[in-house]
Amino acid sequence: MGHRERAREFVADVDRTRWHDQALWFVRSKRDQAADLVPDWEALRDQASAIKRSALTELPELWREFEEHATAAGTVVHWARDAHEHNEIVAGLLRDRSVRHVVKSKSMLTEECGLNSYLEAEGIEVIDTDLGERIVQLRGEPPSHIVMPAIHLQRAEIGELFAKEMGSAPDLDDPTELTDVARRDLRDRFLKAEAGLTGINFAIAETGGFVVVTNEGNADLGTALPGLHIASVGLEKIIPQQKDLAPFLRLLARSATGQAITTYTSHFRGPRPRSTQELHVVIVDNGRSQLLGRPAFREALGCIRCGACLNTCPVYRRSGGHSYSATIPGPIGSVLETSRDPATHAELPHACSLCGSCTDVCPVRIPLHHQLLAWRGELALSGHHPAWRRFSLNLVAWLFVRPTMYRLLGRFARGIGRRLPPTLREDLLPAWTRQRHLPTIPKSSFRELYRERQRQPKRPRPQAQPRPRHERNG
Amino acid sequence: MVTAREEILERLERARPPAAARPAAMPEPSMPIDPMATLRDRLQDAGGSLQFATRSGWTEQIQWPVEATTLRHVYSSLNAMPGRGVGLSSKTNHDLADLDVCVLAAEFVVIENAAAWQRPGCLRERAAALLATHLIVVANATEIVATMHQAYARIAPSDASFGWFLCGPSKTADIEQSLVLGAHGPRTMSLILLSD
């Protein structure tokens, strides 16, 4: 089942689709308000994009530098070629220290690696501590959004879940009270855990340190109490210098949720001196070096996982994160997941109207919709398209080089199209267009209209008058 | 056998894109005309509150999140506000879960986002800041910077094994985008700016 089919199921519930759409648009508008308060916003995006682009050209040097400084500070650095090696390294560290209870803060990388199920198979209890992640973990679902994992759920569903799992009152649906139920449940687990796992938002070559950001404080509680902290990081997350954090931290929270900064922006550099605390960093490739070797797509490695492209995407908002069936949904996910596994995700670059809104909001200026278009081309050439898409694309290609046939068929389609009931026409299109109406099909083509115009006597052209700037807004 | 490290570095070498220079530093944004008004607004957005007091006697001047005399367990890194209860006597950090208040000294405050830069003196202090129900962060009113650019100019790369920017109480909006203060950590946060 592809994105189209799952999206069709999602939009079958009209009210919920509208609710989902509006919840995400609300976050997008908060992003706009926050960005508007920063006069140098566009310069910040340029700066962040340039830092990432240059960092991608010196990854071997930056990671060697990181390793040297991290090791000097007492951090143990591990390298993992793929998801399995990553999981084995983490499991090995926990096994050696007889760890049975682990608290984990949000990390898309560990989702990508399937770490939770790997550790659970070893008999280790893994508790996701981000509230949204905890909710989807209890439901046995993957996150549907990279910043707001439970954005697809409504309060009553969460109340029902907590009643079953945490013994709260069954009719509880107030977000404050529900959060409080989870807080009490998770507080005990924080206190019991023997190890804390986190992701990394930014690794800094110059210091061998790294930054983790959260609003809930779960990454901090999870690493301040237990004696072992393991942080997993993808190869793309490194920046050269500490001062480079400034543009990224100014962009990240504003782009993600419209906050000027997250509650906690924590800088780790080695374990606490004179303590028994251990700090391990696992550097993971898992296909990233391969993506680096593809000039058309490598800029996607600059992604800082803010989720702004998801919040603004008309397809994501109307089809829900789960319809992508990928660790990372939305525009950036469609690029990254297709790069990792083109055979499985070949339909994702088509879950896009090429409106370009993702590219407009991306804080590091990844040309997302251009990459999605480029992917479509690649997938067509490499034979990853399903037969029906191959057939229709070949038909169009054949038609576009035969003008007479094109004109003839155009006239035919206009004639038929105008007579079909609009609902039937729209049923032929993917489900996420359900909220849209097609424009009325015109009687004549542009060519016909133009010819008719040429036949009429010439009228004097109206003089174009530039309007003063202040009028344009009014 | 080739180690994972060697192989990954080799893969990165093979895929290396053509050189692109590091960008020059951005022009530094200037301080807003009324920094304290911006600071108050940004902290309010983040669910925190801003208070002003004088260095001597600030503990009597500020409004405490709950009646100051009822606070049983206090962790404090400032002499003006002595700690009491589990904050002093407990053997393990886990006992700090009962803390009512944690009082910390921040080095400076960033105006554009109301974040206070703080370096916990020990692991215990970090745990206290997370486990206490109320967080009070104290800084000098003169120690302010306009944006994160100026903030990092003040933080030496080799400083300390841990430091953080703190802004407001811990929070979440994971249930239907409704903002809830007090996710795992403090339910309230006050930033106290001291002057002479």
Side-chain angles (χ1 to χ4, degrees), chain A residues 19 23 26-27 30 37-38 40 43-44 47 50-51 53-54 56-64 67 79-81 85 129-133 135 147-151 153-156 158 162 175-176 178-180 183 186-187 190-192 206-207 215-221 223-225 235 240-243 245-247 249-250 254 259-273 277 283 285-286 289 292-293 298, chain B residues 1-29 42 45-46 93-99 110 112-115 117 119-133 135 146-187:
Chain A
W19 167 82
F26 171 66
V27 186
K30 284 202 300 181
L37 286 175
V38 180
D40 51 352
L44 271 180
Q47 185 78 1
I51 292 171
R53 222 176 315 118
S54 105
L56 291 180
T57 69
E58 44 178 0
L59 287 178
E61 291 80 8
L62 292 177
W63 279 116
R64 281 197 195 96
E67 183 183 46
W79 301 74
R81 294 178 186 89
E85 268 189 11
T129 54
D130 173 83
L131 178 60
E133 278 218 316
I135 291 167
V147 174
M148 302 166 285
I151 188 79
L153 295 172
Q154 297 180 324
R155 58 185 73 191
I158 296 166
F162 283 8
T176 306
L178 286 170
T179 302
D180 220 47
R183 175 190 168 104
L186 286 167
R187 192 45 94 86
F190 276 119
L191 294 170
K192 197 170 79 173
E206 176 187 30
T207 65
N215 276 320
E216 299 184 7
N218 54 322
D220 288 286
L221 257 180
T223 55
L225 297 174
L235 279 177
Q241 291 171 289
Q242 182 177 270
K243 68 180 171 66
L245 287 167
L249 290 173
R250 296 185 73 197
R254 288 182 172 101
Q259 295 172 263
I261 194 167
T262 47
T263 304
Y264 300 96
T265 306
S266 302
H267 301 54
F268 296 83
R269 206 179 127 265
R272 182 64 65 175
Q277 221 196 11
I283 304 165
D285 182 347
N286 206 34
S289 57
L292 184 68
R298 67 166 60 111
Chain B
M1 206 184 83
V2 188
T3 63
R5 178 185 187 276
E6 288 161 31
E7 192 178 328
I8 291 170
L9 288 171
E10 162 59 27
R11 287 176 186 174
L12 290 178
E13 198 57 63
R14 249 180 318 183
R16 188 194 289 269
R22 292 186 190 173
M26 284 177 67
E28 283 198 355
R42 293 294 81 77
D45 291 347
N93 293 342
H94 293 65
D95 294 337
L96 297 172
D98 293 327
L99 274 181
V110 187
E112 70 159 335
N113 55 19
W117 174 251
R119 282 180 298 165
C122 52
L123 196 56
R124 183 177 189 70
E125 188 168 312
R126 203 177 132 212
L130 295 158
L131 291 169
T133 310
L135 178 65
T147 70
M148 295 299 278
H149 302 284
Q150 290 92 343
Y152 280 107
R154 285 192 56 160
I155 304 170
S158 55
D159 267 3
S161 68
F162 183 86
W164 53 5
F165 286 102
L166 295 169
C167 175
S170 93
K171 53 184 157 293
T172 182
D174 273 344
I175 301 176
E176 281 200 20
Q177 283 304 296
S178 303
L179 181 68
V180 179
L181 304 181
H184 299 295
R187 294 175 190 276

Side-chain angles (χ1 to χ4, degrees), chain A residues 118-428:
Chain A
Y118 191 94
L119 294 181
E120 279 155 10
E122 300 247 337
I124 298 167
E125 182 194 69
V126 189
I127 303 292
D128 279 320
T129 54
D130 173 83
L131 178 60
E133 278 218 316
R134 182 67 182 143
I135 291 167
V136 294
Q137 183 183 38
L138 288 171
R139 283 174 59 97
E141 283 177 348
S144 72
H145 188 287
I146 59 177
V147 174
M148 302 166 285
I151 188 79
H152 60 293
L153 295 172
Q154 297 180 324
R155 58 185 73 191
E157 293 166 290
I158 296 166
E160 217 171 280
L161 177 75
F162 283 8
K164 198 175 97 205
E165 301 285 342
M166 300 176 197
S168 53
D171 53 352
L172 201 63
D173 71 350
D174 175 63
T176 306
E177 289 176 42
L178 286 170
T179 302
D180 220 47
V181 170
R183 175 190 168 104
R184 280 196 300 274
D185 183 74
L186 286 167
R187 192 45 94 86
D188 292 338
R189 297 172 190 276
F190 276 119
L191 294 170
K192 197 170 79 173
E194 297 116 10
L197 310 185
T198 70
I200 285 181
N201 290 94
F202 304 98
I204 305 126
E206 176 187 30
T207 65
F210 58 89
V211 168
V212 181
V213 307
T214 74
N215 276 320
E216 299 184 7
N218 54 322
D220 288 286
L221 257 180
T223 55
L225 297 174
L228 174 63
H229 174 188
I230 306 172
S232 304
V233 61
L235 279 177
E236 78 280 23
K237 293 276 178 178
I238 192 138
I239 54 175
Q241 291 171 289
Q242 182 177 270
K243 68 180 171 66
D244 296 330
L245 287 167
F248 289 109
L249 290 173
R250 296 185 73 197
L251 288 164
L252 178 56
R254 288 182 172 101
S255 297
T257 57
Q259 295 172 263
I261 194 167
T262 47
T263 304
Y264 300 96
T265 306
S266 302
H267 301 54
F268 296 83
R269 206 179 127 265
R272 182 64 65 175
R274 294 175 303 279
S275 77
T276 52
Q277 221 196 11
E278 284 184 75
L279 177 56
H280 294 258
V281 169
V282 190
I283 304 165
V284 186
D285 182 347
N286 206 34
R288 286 163 177 76
S289 57
Q290 220 178 339
L291 183 54
L292 184 68
R294 312 191 62 150
F297 304 108
R298 67 166 60 111
E299 272 178 78
L301 289 170
C303 174
I304 57 173
R305 304 289 189 269
C306 70
C309 61
L310 281 65
N311 303 340
T312 201
C313 176
V315 180
Y316 175 87
R317 283 189 276 120
R318 289 178 184 78
S319 62
H322 286 157
S323 63
Y324 290 77
S325 248
T327 308
I328 302 180
I332 183 65
S334 298
V335 170
L336 293 174
E337 306 283 351
T338 309
S339 310
R340 194 184 345 276
D341 183 359
T344 310
H345 298 296
E347 281 301 288
L348 291 186
H350 292 277
C352 165
S353 64
L354 296 177
C355 73
S357 184
C358 46
T359 307
D360 286 344
V361 297
C362 177
V364 292
R365 294 200 193 280
I366 300 170
L368 284 160
H369 72 293
H370 294 286
Q371 295 195 346
L372 287 168
L373 184 61
W375 255 124
R376 294 184 190 182
E378 294 240 343
L379 292 166
L381 293 175
S382 57
H384 278 110
H385 277 161
W388 65 266
R389 196 186 290 287
R390 264 203 314 275
F391 172 76
S392 45
L393 285 176
N394 284 339
L395 186 70
V396 170
W398 178 84
L399 194 61
F400 277 6
V401 293
R402 286 166 179 80
T404 320
M405 186 62 87
Y406 175 81
R407 254 169 267 153
L408 208 68
L409 267 177
R411 187 176 299 174
F412 180 69
R414 278 194 302 280
I416 296 276
R418 288 170 62 80
R419 281 169 188 83
L420 284 180
T423 49
L424 183 65
R425 264 172 20 210
E426 281 152 24
D427 276 348
L428 299 173

